[in-house]
Amino acid sequence: MLYIKCPYCGMRSQNEFSYGGDASVKRPELNKEISDEEWDNFVYNRKSLRGKHLELWHHLAGCRQWIKVERDTATHEIFNTYKADEVIS
Amino acid sequence: MVQKFRLENGGLINRDKKLSFKFNGKTYYGYEGDTLASALIANGIHLVGRSFKYHRPRGFFGAGVDEPYAIVQLYRNNETEPNIKATEQELFEGLEAKSVNCWPSVNFDIGAINNFLKIFLPAGFYYKTFMWPKSFWYRIYEPFIRKAAGLGVASTKHDKERYEHKYEYCDLLITGSGPSGLASAYAAAKNGARVILAEDKPRFGGSLLTSDVNIGNQSGEDWANSIISELNEMPNVVVKNRSQVFGYYDHNMLVMSEKVSDHLPKTKKHHPKQRLWYIRAKEVLISSGSIERPIVFGNNDTPGVMLSSAAKEYLKVYGVLVGKNPLVFTNNDSGYETAIEFKKNGINPIILDTRVNPQSEIIDEAINQGIKIKFSYVVVAAQGYKKVSSADIAKISDDKKQLGTVENIKCDCICVSGFWTPTIHLASQSGNKTKFKEEIDAFVPGTSKQNERTLGAANGTFTLEETLKSSFTAGQDLSKKITNNDNKISFPNVVEKKSSQHDKFWCVPLPKGKSYKRFLDFQNDVAVSDIEIALKEGYRSIEHVKRYTTLGMATDQGKTSNLNGLQLVSDIENKVVPAVGHTTFRPPYTPISIGAIVGREVGKHSKPIRKSPMHSWHEKNNAVFVDAGVWLRPRYYKQGKENLFEASKREAKNVRMNVGVCDVTTLGKIDIKGPDSAELLNRVYTNAWLKLPVGKARYGVMLREDGIVMDDGTTTRVSENHYHMTTTTAQAANVLSHLEYYLQLVWPELNVNVVSTTEQWAGAAIAGPKSRKLLEKLFPNNDVSNEGLPFMGYLESDLFGVKARIFRISFSGELAYEVNVESNNGNFMWEKIIELGQEFKVQPYGTEALSTLRIEMGHVAGSELDGRTISYDTSLEGLISKKKDFIGKRSLNREAFTSDDRQKIVGVVPLDKKTSIPEGSHLVKDAKAPLPNKKLGHISASCWSVEHDNPFSLAILKDGKNMIGEKLFVMSPLKNKVIPVEIVSSHYVDPKGERVRS
Ligand SMILES: [Zn+2]
């Protein structure tokens, strides 16, 4: 079971969180004309990569904040966690 | 009965407490502190079971967790449990055990005919033999194999024992209480670190209990006891025996099974049988020791052939002789320790040492004691069927290829030592890439992946002094990092005998003309010849060889067989062992009971139960409850001998005719506040929200980004920047997460807060033509007329002194209101409604009537909004705004969503107006068409229409909008029904929606 550092609550077990997928996906702006392909990429297409991955986790049974977690999908190593609005260098 | 093989003195057992037990129906005696194995051996019992494949006789091979043979069915306190190792099960008064895998009895076993007829089942036997004819597998092969094989029977009764789960955090978790575990725990504890020390056996000390050493002028055992008693006094230390750390998971989470009561005849009151510990450790020190390796020779599975370390443990810990005429077969000095221990107790062993001319202190001691030693000698084969009676031995050439003349010598046991294999399971599970250590012919942990370190014998360190030094240091260093304390501990003086180099010898060649079975895996009967066949047939990867031959796949997980198997593969393949590699170690290290894994989450505790504040009223009024997610909701209120159908019909009718009241507390409620609340709603829902006035409710539908309907509900503008959203019961949690997602990640610029208030409000739906009259009584100070409180209106009021909210909304399609009060006033509200509603013939109604009412009105619910339908399908497309963008809108122009014959909701009535239509049935054009008969749609919900007094269903039907008036067939192969039906509008009652506005 992963041990995730919530930027608000500290170290917490994985079972307090739910997974939210790739954090680099950006929702197209409202009212903006976009191609079918762009929309498809937003709704359906994900990389499912092996290795370092910036992903979303929701601290469901905690502070209820969506956070960003930089994790290795193969080894489960967590390098860093960020608040939703934190600028990641 | 006399314990013929029990020594007069010695051992750590309690001779003052004699215990009786039964094995295969016969009564024996042992002592407190025995295992079932030691007590049986004390009574001269060596035949305990049959092997898995050939049903060869099985005795005892080890004295602990590594035991491959002695698996029994245990009976304790009217319960039975399979897969119990006799070497681990502690004896208690009244214990009963039976052999497994033998029929009709352990002494005469029918399956053993396999063995005598020499129909040996070679590698891959199961794959090859039972492949065809295919139909034979289920009918003949599998039942036969299952009857003949099997390692015991699981109880089919409900397990009345209690199992607990515990979550624990510590600085250092130390697995194993041998010398390295004790030293590192002691050093870390002295530095103030929070330490958990786990020992799987009942006694602490590991190898110190059986080795002839001296630490700080104390015997190993005394030193271990003094350390344990000191640790027990320290508040920062948890010391646990009978506790096996069996799994090492991500981020230093380890799981340990504590056998709290298995050693007692009966679990004590308020105690669990077992406890599963989930431990998050900052650092893990693996001190799991090592397991002795067998040497492979002919008939090496005969009862009486066992590990030399086990023989020593039975002697020193239990005061039991495994034989009175022992032969020790060794390739290293460990066998000598066992022989010396025999000699001390007046038994004359013979040592066969594969080495040419080894020299060491221990060997000198054995010679001085007059023990007979034969160098360059091997056991060629054990003789005897149910117990060793003699051994064929021979001299072996220096290159270990040639055997001399075979001689036969009498003996009643053969104690084997093929050197030691570090127990690296936990380290390997942690992700540590193990490495092969040439000097000890075994794998040891490599570079740590998590915060783990392996010490002592588990790390291939076999001298006590080195083990203690490295362990004290590790305990001290790691704890210092955590606590910043630095208490130096003086290193005790250590006396131990120095060993000489072991012989890299592991398998005795076959003498000319003999074809003895030489076993590698004792539980699964995998012999040298099986591996040879597998390799000949082209298997190369050790993982494939394992699965093809079942080497190491039994319940002992190959603890004694793995390395010899690898040696054999590498010999045949002319590779070095590290190039062959080992198979992956996976948790659990030992079998764990299902009860322990499940813990307390059984029966009523398997999920939380949510009850509304009015629950006890429902109970008192004969409600029959139904699960709605984790909520318990009244399904109907039983009157007299009514059944579900009759009661729900009565309740629904009463709503249509008079007035009914339904507990709607379970509806999801979300409080939304902030200046941008309207904007949020406008983006979340498909319809327009910017112009909703204060004091008005509106119905809304929200989509997922892929255009599928996610949820529906009403939201009310309570004040300028304050909204009250309702969701369906099922989607309440998802909708909140959904809103939080958009507010926190996508549109953080929106100034809105959302919070769940589901449990803060108790809700009652008051529905029916007389509901306004009842409302007037409930709120005499409010104007609740059609003008004062119009459809979709909202009022804040006071219910006889209790703050209340009134929403004029309707799910039943009747004139209806929903009243909310704070949860603790829920029952008060409910009782007031019932009391004041008497004159209007108010009746409570449950979810079944609620469904009937909404189905005949054509209102959609979860069975239509099933994660596959869009707004159009459920006739909610009128609520899609063309002027604004919203979540999921861009998906709605997908080709499938806009096709002309897109599915749509319709009503379905059976032509005979009598036959009820099963939910989930399919709609087809032609009932007699050949299969596969094209499905046009499915029945999503069914009811008995109280308005029309005939069955009515809703369906999602292809090209639904053009199908009204069509005649189709409903087919339910499951219920074996074919029903001719007519397609009608989904709005079966009050199609213009006049009642809700009346
Ligand atoms: Zn948090």
Side-chain angles (χ1 to χ4, degrees):
Chain A
M1 202 185 333
L2 307 187
Y3 206 27
I4 301 167
K5 186 179 176 182
C6 171
Y8 303 94
C9 311
M11 298 304 295
R12 287 291 192 277
S13 266
Q14 181 185 345
N15 50 6
E16 292 185 9
F17 295 84
S18 73
Y19 183 67
D22 189 343
S24 67
V25 174
K26 218 177 154 339
R27 192 196 191 279
E29 273 172 49
L30 287 168
N31 301 308
K32 198 181 146 196
E33 287 268 321
I34 58 165
S35 67
D36 286 350
E37 198 186 341
E38 273 176 274
W39 184 253
D40 263 9
N41 281 337
F42 160 64
V43 178
Y44 298 106
N45 298 331
R46 297 292 180 272
K47 281 185 223 103
S48 188
L49 52 80
R50 181 191 168 90
K52 221 181 226 191
H53 188 227
L54 189 68
E55 56 201 17
L56 295 170
W57 287 79
H58 191 197
H59 197 185
L60 211 62
C63 62
R64 297 209 59 98
Q65 293 300 304
W66 284 88
I67 62 167
K68 291 177 181 173
V69 176
E70 194 178 35
R71 182 182 69 106
D72 189 308
T73 56
T75 66
H76 297 317
E77 188 182 346
I78 291 176
F79 307 98
N80 222 329
T81 57
Y82 307 92
K83 295 178 181 177
D85 57 356
E86 219 169 309
V87 182
I88 301 166
S89 49
Chain B
M1 199 185 279
V2 195
Q3 300 177 36
K4 280 186 288 188
F5 288 82
R6 183 84 69 179
L7 295 167
E8 295 276 316
N9 298 299
L12 307 175
I13 46 169
N14 178 11
R15 286 172 191 265
D16 295 334
K17 194 150 183 213
K18 206 169 167 183
L19 303 172
S20 76
F21 68 100
K22 268 189 190 165
F23 183 65
N24 285 335
K26 230 172 132 182
T27 302
Y28 301 94
Y29 295 94
Y31 293 116
E32 189 180 73
D34 261 326
T35 59
L36 175 58
S38 68
L40 283 170
I41 297 172
N43 285 281
I45 307 296
H46 278 266
L47 180 62
V48 285
R50 294 279 171 165
S51 70
F52 195 64
K53 209 155 75 180
Y54 303 134
H55 290 238
R56 285 165 71 102
R58 284 289 178 256
F60 302 95
F61 194 71
V65 68
D66 50 331
E67 177 62 37
Y69 293 159
I71 288 163
V72 298
Q73 182 86 21
L74 185 77
Y75 299 83
R76 171 184 175 272
N77 192 26
N78 300 320
E79 278 288 343
T80 181
E81 208 179 328
N83 200 14
I84 299 292
K85 291 186 183 87
T87 53
E88 289 192 300
Q89 177 60 50
E90 291 172 65
L91 201 65
F92 53 78
E93 177 59 38
L95 180 150
E96 277 190 65
K98 278 184 188 156
S99 298
V100 294
N101 203 22
C102 48
W103 183 77
S105 81
V106 69
N107 272 299
F108 176 72
D109 178 75
I110 281 188
I113 287 169
N114 289 349
N115 185 25
F116 288 119
L117 293 182
K118 299 273 179 217
I119 335 169
F120 273 107
L121 318 172
F125 173 76
Y126 289 90
Y127 301 111
K128 287 170 187 161
T129 313
F130 298 129
M131 288 308 288
W132 56 270
K134 214 174 164 185
S135 62
F136 270 39
W137 176 253
Y138 296 105
R139 286 193 289 122
I140 295 164
Y141 297 144
E142 202 198 353
F144 172 76
I145 293 170
R146 287 214 181 276
K147 192 174 159 57
L151 290 168
V153 201
S155 170
T156 51
K157 285 196 296 181
H158 168 66
D159 187 351
K160 292 194 194 75
E161 297 277 0
R162 214 172 72 194
Y163 300 84
E164 280 180 356
H165 286 184
K166 187 176 164 72
Y167 293 81
E168 199 51 88
Y169 296 81
C170 67
D171 295 329
L172 275 86
L173 170 64
I174 297 163
T175 71
S177 73
S180 68
L182 289 173
S184 52
Y186 188 73
K190 282 281 177 192
N191 266 345
R194 291 192 305 159
V195 173
I196 297 176
L197 175 64
E199 167 61 46
D200 67 319
K201 292 202 163 191
R203 296 177 185 83
F204 297 98
S207 64
L208 292 173
L209 299 180
T210 55
S211 55
D212 193 9
V213 296
N214 203 293
I215 307 170
N217 296 324
Q218 295 179 85
S219 73
E221 186 206 337
D222 288 346
W223 182 78
N225 287 337
S226 67
I227 295 278
I228 287 292
S229 50
E230 209 173 321
L231 289 175
N232 267 326
E233 295 299 309
M234 297 168 79
N236 53 326
V237 182
V238 173
V239 175
K240 281 281 157 194
N241 59 344
R242 303 185 175 101
S243 297
Q244 178 80 59
V245 178
F246 65 79
Y248 199 136
Y249 301 89
D250 288 311
H251 298 182
N252 263 32
M253 157 73 84
L254 292 95
V255 186
M256 172 170 98
S257 124
E258 181 190 4
K259 296 200 165 165
V260 182
S261 309
D262 293 70
H263 63 293
L264 302 171
K266 214 176 140 183
T267 305
K268 282 186 205 150
K269 211 176 173 186
H270 307 307
H271 281 221
K273 184 169 186 231
Q274 297 175 5
R275 188 178 283 130
L276 212 63
W277 294 55
Y278 293 87
I279 303 170
R280 189 79 71 173
K282 283 190 187 136
E283 300 282 344
V284 177
L285 289 179
I286 300 167
S287 327
S288 43
S290 56
I291 291 173
E292 203 165 21
R293 266 200 303 268
I295 302 176
V296 181
F297 55 86
N299 301 331
N300 56 337
D301 64 332
T302 311
V305 177
M306 66 166 61
L307 294 173
S308 104
S309 56
K312 191 173 68 169
E313 188 167 335
Y314 286 118
L315 263 169
K316 290 202 77 164
V317 176
Y318 305 102
V320 167
L321 291 170
V322 297
K324 293 182 177 174
N325 192 11
L327 185 66
V328 175
F329 178 29
T330 188
N331 69 2
N332 69 97
D333 284 3
S334 296
Y336 287 79
E337 292 178 23
T338 304
I340 289 166
E341 217 47 59
F342 271 116
K343 186 74 185 176
K344 276 188 197 161
N345 287 289
I347 301 289
N348 285 314
I350 299 172
I351 298 175
L352 304 189
D353 192 330
T354 65
R355 296 174 291 183
V356 183
N357 184 24
Q359 284 183 351
S360 74
E361 283 176 25
I362 300 172
I363 297 173
D364 289 345
E365 190 185 336
I367 293 169
N368 289 339
Q369 294 205 10
I371 294 173
K372 196 169 162 195
I373 306 167
K374 285 167 166 285
F375 294 112
S376 289
Y377 254 82
V378 296
V379 173
V380 174
Q383 298 296 351
Y385 179 56
K386 288 177 188 168
K387 175 80 199 285
V388 170
S389 58
S390 69
D392 289 346
I393 63 168
K395 201 159 174 96
I396 192 159
S397 61
D398 291 358
D399 66 357
K400 310 289 190 217
K401 300 244 159 85
Q402 306 297 322
L403 292 175
T405 321
V406 175
E407 315 152 41
N408 182 270
I409 59 167
K410 293 273 169 246
C411 61
D412 61 356
C413 66
I414 302 173
C415 308
V416 191
S417 178
F419 206 54
W420 296 87
T421 307
T423 305
I424 56 169
H425 299 66
L426 280 181
S428 175
Q429 286 176 21
S430 80
N432 186 309
K433 288 263 177 288
T434 57
K435 61 182 185 204
F436 193 71
K437 196 170 174 186
E438 207 69 49
E439 308 95 270
I440 61 166
D441 317 316
F443 288 92
V444 291
T447 316
S448 295
K449 197 195 140 207
Q450 303 200 34
N451 291 343
E452 108 281 348
R453 210 184 278 191
T454 306
L455 296 166
N459 198 30
T461 306
F462 293 123
T463 74
L464 180 62
E465 184 153 7
E466 229 181 296
T467 293
L468 289 178
K469 267 193 181 142
S470 58
S471 306
F472 272 121
T473 312
Q476 203 155 14
D477 290 354
L478 291 174
S479 55
K480 196 172 116 185
K481 272 201 301 188
I482 296 165
T483 66
N484 292 320
N485 294 332
D486 195 8
N487 290 319
K488 289 271 180 276
I489 293 161
S490 57
F491 186 73
N493 179 45
V494 174
V495 183
E496 64 181 319
K497 294 199 186 76
K498 290 203 172 48
S499 295
S500 55
Q501 176 63 38
H502 78 285
D503 195 1
K504 291 172 184 291
F505 177 80
W506 59 275
C507 183
V508 179
L510 282 175
K512 276 201 187 83
K514 296 282 185 188
S515 59
Y516 297 123
K517 278 278 165 190
R518 294 171 297 168
F519 286 96
L520 289 165
D521 184 309
F522 301 107
Q523 198 179 104
N524 269 356
D525 288 346
V526 181
V528 171
S529 52
D530 294 317
I531 305 287
E532 288 168 350
I533 290 171
L535 292 167
K536 246 180 234 163
E537 292 182 358
Y539 288 87
R540 287 295 172 271
S541 154
I542 188 68
E543 297 280 2
H544 292 159
V545 171
K546 167 183 165 175
R547 282 158 184 82
Y548 194 55
T549 62
T550 70
L551 172 76
M553 281 175 67
T555 60
D556 66 331
Q557 298 263 297
K559 289 184 177 67
T560 51
S561 63
N562 273 338
L563 265 172
N564 283 339
L566 292 179
Q567 288 283 9
L568 179 64
V569 173
S570 62
D571 279 6
I572 299 173
E573 294 279 284
N574 257 326
K575 279 185 195 161
V576 286
V577 173
V580 176
H582 59 74
T583 53
T584 316
F585 294 103
R586 291 198 175 85
Y589 173 67
T590 55
I592 304 302
S593 69
I594 300 288
I597 294 166
V598 173
R600 297 293 297 274
E601 290 168 21
V602 287
K604 275 186 181 171
H605 297 291
S606 57
K607 58 171 200 233
I609 295 173
R610 295 174 85 179
K611 295 175 182 172
S612 95
M614 290 83 94
H615 187 83
S616 56
W617 189 95
H618 304 321
E619 273 179 328
K620 270 181 245 155
N621 288 274
N622 299 323
V624 176
F625 292 93
V626 62
D627 291 331
V630 290
W631 288 97
L632 272 184
R633 296 190 71 177
R635 191 172 186 190
Y636 62 99
Y637 300 81
K638 197 182 173 85
Q639 286 188 0
K641 288 187 174 161
E642 272 179 342
N643 60 22
L644 164 69
F645 180 68
E646 292 157 350
S648 61
K649 230 161 89 170
R650 167 183 52 76
E651 291 169 8
K653 243 186 206 158
N654 191 57
V655 172
R656 293 270 183 252
M657 289 170 59
N658 300 305
V659 56
V661 56
C662 182
D663 186 346
V664 292
T665 302
T666 62
L667 277 187
K669 302 171 205 77
I670 298 171
D671 211 48
I672 301 176
K673 274 182 180 166
D676 296 322
S677 300
E679 178 62 27
L680 173 72
L681 295 171
N682 209 42
R683 295 177 184 191
V684 164
Y685 283 127
T686 63
N687 49 344
W689 283 81
L690 296 180
K691 288 174 186 156
L692 180 72
V694 172
K696 282 282 183 187
R698 182 166 287 176
Y699 175 73
V701 174
M702 56 178 82
L703 309 185
R704 311 190 309 215
E705 291 286 18
D706 64 0
I708 301 285
V709 176
M710 180 178 181
D711 197 43
D712 68 340
T714 58
T715 293
T716 306
R717 190 166 196 175
V718 175
S719 66
E720 180 65 23
N721 293 324
H722 184 190
Y723 292 79
H724 174 83
M725 176 187 272
T726 65
T727 73
T728 58
T729 302
Q731 291 292 330
N734 291 343
V735 170
L736 183 65
S737 289
H738 182 72
L739 298 180
E740 286 166 335
Y741 176 90
Y742 285 93
L743 284 173
Q744 293 171 27
L745 293 161
V746 185
W747 304 311
E749 69 277 8
L750 293 184
N751 189 357
V752 183
N753 272 311
V754 291
V755 68
S756 166
T757 52
T758 301
E759 306 202 334
Q760 277 63 37
W761 298 103
I766 301 169
K770 295 180 185 163
S771 58
R772 184 177 289 127
K773 291 221 158 61
L774 174 51
L775 216 66
E776 283 165 1
K777 295 265 175 185
L778 290 166
F779 303 100
N781 300 328
N782 287 97
D783 174 11
V784 295
S785 67
N786 206 16
E787 293 71 39
L789 182 55
F791 182 53
M792 288 300 193
Y794 166 74
L795 270 182
E796 284 175 11
S797 182
D798 157 334
L799 177 75
F800 303 101
V802 162
K803 201 170 89 183
R805 290 173 164 185
I806 313 165
F807 307 83
R808 186 167 164 198
I809 53 179
S810 175
F811 189 51
S812 57
E814 293 298 324
L815 168 68
Y817 304 86
E818 263 178 49
V819 181
N820 281 6
V821 295
E822 287 166 6
S823 286
N824 52 340
N825 295 324
N827 212 44
F828 171 79
M829 163 184 72
W830 189 267
E831 284 178 344
K832 271 284 172 222
I833 293 169
I834 297 291
E835 179 198 326
L836 298 176
Q838 287 310 310
E839 60 177 291
F840 311 110
K841 296 187 178 161
V842 72
Q843 280 183 25
Y845 63 102
T847 56
E848 200 66 24
L850 184 74
S851 288
T852 297
L853 296 167
R854 74 94 184 167
I855 292 169
E856 61 178 4
M857 278 287 169
H859 288 173
V860 293
S863 47
E864 289 77 35
L865 309 177
D866 62 357
R868 296 178 293 183
T869 49
I870 57 171
S871 297
Y872 174 86
D873 305 348
T874 45
S875 288
L876 298 168
E877 68 271 31
L879 291 171
I880 291 178
S881 163
K882 295 205 169 63
K883 291 185 192 137
K884 58 143 195 175
D885 198 0
F886 53 85
I887 292 169
K889 187 178 192 184
R890 181 65 177 78
S891 288
L892 295 180
N893 55 13
R894 280 168 59 181
E895 213 177 306
F897 288 178
T898 53
S899 77
D900 262 359
D901 60 353
R902 178 75 198 174
Q903 61 180 9
K904 199 168 190 53
I905 189 168
V906 294
V908 178
V909 178
L911 293 187
D912 68 0
K913 303 261 174 120
K914 271 191 281 202
T915 314
S916 286
I917 302 172
E919 289 175 347
S921 305
H922 285 188
L923 284 155
V924 298
K925 182 122 196 137
D926 176 4
K928 295 201 171 94
L931 295 174
N933 194 347
K934 202 181 168 208
K935 170 197 162 191
L936 301 175
H938 73 275
I939 302 292
S940 59
S942 289
C943 71
W944 187 275
S945 165
V946 287
E947 187 98 358
H948 296 273
D949 203 24
N950 58 252
F952 175 74
S953 297
L954 292 174
I956 306 288
L957 180 63
K958 193 167 182 70
D959 198 19
K961 76 171 174 217
N962 295 318
M963 296 293 276
I964 309 295
E966 292 282 322
K967 303 254 188 335
L968 297 176
F969 294 91
V970 155
M971 292 189 78
S972 172
L974 204 65
K975 304 235 159 126
N976 201 18
K977 273 190 177 170
V978 177
I979 307 161
V981 295
E982 184 181 354
I983 305 304
V984 299
S985 159
S986 59
H987 300 292
Y988 200 40
V989 172
D990 189 24
K992 287 183 182 153
E994 284 162 346
R995 296 182 192 178
V996 293
R997 291 181 174 80
S998 62

